[in-house]
Amino acid sequence: MSQSLTIEEIASLAQVSRSTVSRVLNEHPNVRASVRERVLQVISEQNYAPRAAARSLANNRTQSLCFLFPNKTSSVFEDPFFAMLMQGMLEVANRRGYFVMLSAVAPDMEQDFYRKVLRSRPFDGLIMLASVEDDPLLPMLLRDRMPFVLCERHPYLRNVSWIEIDNRESAREAVLHLLKLGHRRIGTITGPLNTSSGVERRDGYKQALLEHGIGIAPELIIEGDYHPDGGFAGMQRLLQLPDPPTAMFIASDLMAIGAMRALRAAGLRVPHDTAIVSFDDLPAARFADVPLTTVHQPIRDIGLNATDILIDQLEQQDFTPTFRRMPTKLIIRDSCGASLRTGA
Amino acid sequence: MSQSLTIEEIASLAQVSRSTVSRVLNEHPNVRASVRERVLQVISEQNYAPRAAARSLANNRTQSLCFLFPNKTSSVFEDPFFAMLMQGMLEVANRRGYFVMLSAVAPDMEQDFYRKVLRSRPFDGLIMLASVEDDPLLPMLLRDRMPFVLCERHPYLRNVSWIEIDNRESAREAVLHLLKLGHRRIGTITGPLNTSSGVERRDGYKQALLEHGIGIAPELIIEGDYHPDGGFAGMQRLLQLPDPPTAMFIASDLMAIGAMRALRAAGLRVPHDTAIVSFDDLPAARFADVPLTTVHQPIRDIGLNATDILIDQLEQQDFTPTFRRMPTKLIIRDSCGASLRTGA
DNA sequence: CTGTTAGCGCCTTCAA
DNA sequence: TTGAAGGCGCTAACAG
């Protein structure tokens, strides 16, 4: 890159000391207005910007955040859920003057990531997506007092900050909807059961059934992975039962899309033969073959709020654990069969 | 965060000078093996990692790259194309020891981004996705000699590095395929015509037609935006023609999916009434309602190679403009109708 | 092969 | 309100 100026040169051009330029840069009040003007003038003329590295070294802050994605699968970024989350996060970070670094750590690289990256402190705080029960990174982060916010409640850790939705209640409502439509044999494909969203949505499913005096049938509960292939495989297994379910609560839209493929392959129609309610309300839910009835969660807002929380904590230097809960809403479309009934 | 050690303290624990520790850290050859061992031992015991900011200040390198996304639409990250590209980029960056910063700059923020972010040099180089003809950032990058690689050839700039596919030839083959199937009235929905991929794919379409003695019908060429809604709208317009096309070359899978919605809404079947060949071969192409015949491009590899090129340039300090061309391949599925014919 | 010595560019006391 | 001076943690000559 071309030689860029230093604060020293700006100072001499503006005929003040480095300190004064620094004060102007950092919006210190104690600078005479006329001097400030002159300095700003020179800065603008010279197109000067202080070097991030020098600043970081001096004030111990990088003005950047890290978004840490799990990388169990090779396709995190292809998951629209993460994409939308990221959209929200990036928006806030930029608005509030933070850079954003991205990391996707493979399971076997976690130690390495911690040692080489995290301890070198290239960022002020981080946002973790989808915390797994036994995530090895969390204890290290806590020990080092690295500020972070989880984008989902951790299965049992509570002395951290997170942002969440009411997974259990939302799932319960989804299943109640199916019950109201007359279904009694309802299956579910859950999320990963080492995440709290996976467990909670399953529990909401169970609760709804029990409230209606319907027993839990273990063979109707299949653990999935939030991805289409998991939905496909799960549905296939359920279809092999002697008495397959007439309705499904599927813990993510993507899995529901996979499950619908399996149903179609088996010659079954949604919602006529099998009703479906899913979770997330991704754009794909609306455009699916059969538009999905699904629990809407404000994904972008979640990312947005998580980032706001983190930056607030950083700027106020107050890291007392906190959480925020976002609202959800059941969106009725075609896959549950409700429109069939009213239509009929 | 907890107080972390400095190189000085590691040095005194290992009973050597800072320089020696520094040499060990940077894998300098000139360190006695036994000393190196001792230092590494201490480093590992203390869980030490040099601070990124201090390093950057001293050696003028940040070890980080920026991925710069266009942000015309609010949904860059929802585009699987970018997601897959990013996957490849992140992989290489991590493997070669670089951090990755992410930016999505809104059109009206470009000046600001340049002034505040770029000039503060928080990264060593950047990868730009989808360069538009009149992108205001490019001239500034060139002026500042900021190392960068484009993930698509710029419409006319040639003294830069980029990675590309042969858009024209690929599009030509796609259209030839439709011609071979007997179609004579073939329409196209193009990409944005201020990008080179948009222009080149359209030109490939024209070339194929002309080679077969078919005149270009301007009413059959509609400019799109690579997104589903653009495909939907474009197809709708074409369907209003007195003599609609019997086949379509659509410059992206997402637009093809949108176009198929429009066709379905009009009661037309793919491929029976309207054959379609598209471009990209996203995962969605395989799983579409009617699986898409489409030009496969190695998206992840493109990201991978772009990053390799950039890092090579940085590490060899050789910034002579270069480009690399990746192969494409027409994947025949159902939407073109080829299988109908062989089946029949 | 190793230690000494200057910086890298900025922020921040401390005096004036 | 301003300037002088020291230091943030590391790298990179330069000596030895």
Side-chain angles (χ1 to χ4, degrees), chain B residues 6-7 18 22 48 50 55 58:
Chain B
T6 73
I7 199 174
R18 302 184 288 193
S22 175
Y48 164 82
R55 275 193 138 162

Side-chain angles (χ1 to χ4, degrees), chain A residues 262-280:
Chain A
L263 288 166
R264 188 167 34 189
L268 295 171
R269 289 170 311 160
V270 175
H272 313 74
D273 301 311
T274 311
I276 291 182
V277 175
S278 60
F279 210 105
D280 286 344

Side-chain angles (χ1 to χ4, degrees), chain B residues 144-208:
Chain B
D144 282 356
R145 296 180 200 290
M146 166 63 87
F148 68 95
V149 172
L150 300 180
C151 262
E152 174 179 319
R153 186 214 299 240
H154 184 272
Y156 51 83
L157 227 49
R158 287 295 173 272
N159 57 335
V160 299
S161 293
W162 75 85
I163 179 153
E164 68 175 9
I165 55 170
D166 192 335
N167 280 295
R168 198 161 60 76
E169 180 57 23
S170 307
R172 177 174 160 272
E173 280 172 26
V175 176
L176 285 182
H177 179 68
L178 289 170
L179 288 164
K180 268 186 221 138
L181 291 172
H183 292 283
R184 285 299 172 267
R185 191 157 173 79
I186 303 175
T188 188
I189 301 175
T190 72
L193 294 178
N194 60 346
T195 66
S196 70
S197 63
V199 170
E200 288 169 8
R201 290 176 199 173
R202 182 203 55 189
D203 290 349
Y205 155 87
K206 288 184 177 176
Q207 182 180 344

Side-chain angles (χ1 to χ4, degrees), chain A residues 67-282:
Chain A
F67 296 161
L68 190 55
F69 288 78
N71 205 12
K72 310 281 174 192
T73 75
S74 65
S75 56
V76 203
F77 297 113
E78 294 174 44
D79 187 333
F81 182 86
F82 289 112
M84 294 170 75
L85 213 42
M86 200 150 61
Q87 188 79 30
M89 298 188 295
L90 201 55
E91 223 172 284
V92 176
N94 284 347
R95 181 165 49 72
R96 300 186 64 173
Y98 282 75
F99 300 143
V100 167
M101 305 194 33
L102 206 66
S103 288
V105 185
D108 55 325
M109 296 299 286
E110 262 152 348
Q111 284 291 338
D112 225 48
F113 176 78
Y114 168 70
R115 288 281 306 271
K116 293 202 189 142
V117 177
L118 259 173
R119 298 218 47 130
S120 79
R121 307 226 218 139
F123 39 75
D124 299 333
L126 55 80
I127 295 185
M128 291 192 62
L129 297 113
S131 59
V132 178
E133 194 170 36
D134 54 353
D135 194 316
L137 234 36
L138 284 176
M140 311 197 227
L141 293 177
L142 286 170
R143 175 160 60 72
D144 281 357
R145 298 181 199 291
M146 166 62 86
F148 68 95
V149 172
L150 299 180
C151 261
E152 172 179 319
R153 186 215 297 241
H154 185 270
Y156 52 83
L157 226 48
R158 287 295 173 273
N159 58 335
V160 298
S161 293
W162 74 86
I163 179 149
E164 67 176 8
I165 56 170
D166 193 336
N167 281 294
R168 199 160 60 75
E169 181 56 23
S170 307
R172 177 174 159 271
E173 280 171 27
V175 176
L176 284 181
H177 178 69
L178 288 170
L179 287 164
K180 267 184 222 141
L181 291 173
H183 291 282
R184 285 301 172 266
R185 189 156 176 80
I186 302 176
T188 187
I189 300 175
T190 73
L193 293 177
N194 60 348
T195 66
S196 72
S197 63
V199 170
E200 288 168 8
R201 290 176 200 174
R202 183 202 56 191
D203 290 350
Y205 156 87
K206 288 183 178 177
Q207 182 180 343
L209 292 186
L210 292 174
E211 283 173 1
H212 271 62
I214 299 177
I216 309 297
E219 74 273 17
L220 291 183
I221 302 179
I222 295 203
E223 179 171 359
D225 56 1
Y226 287 144
H227 297 297
D229 291 345
F232 183 83
M235 198 65 235
Q236 276 193 324
R237 276 178 56 195
L238 288 170
L239 289 177
Q240 286 164 356
L241 291 176
D243 186 13
T246 65
M248 292 294 301
F249 167 61
I250 302 183
S252 82
D253 288 340
L254 291 183
M255 289 199 298
I257 287 170
M260 288 204 291
R261 275 214 308 280
L263 288 166
R264 188 167 34 189
L268 295 171
R269 289 170 311 160
V270 175
H272 313 74
D273 301 311
T274 311
I276 291 182
V277 175
S278 60
F279 210 105
D280 286 344
D281 194 26
L282 303 179

Side-chain angles (χ1 to χ4, degrees), chain B residues 13-40:
Chain B
L13 284 172
Q15 313 196 56
V16 292
S17 71
R18 302 184 288 193
S19 337
T20 299
V21 176
S22 175
R23 286 188 192 101
V24 171
L25 287 172
N26 295 290
E27 296 176 11
H28 262 269
N30 290 353
V31 180
R32 205 196 320 162
S34 65
V35 175
R36 181 198 316 283
E37 285 313 308
R38 195 166 76 236
V39 173
L40 284 175

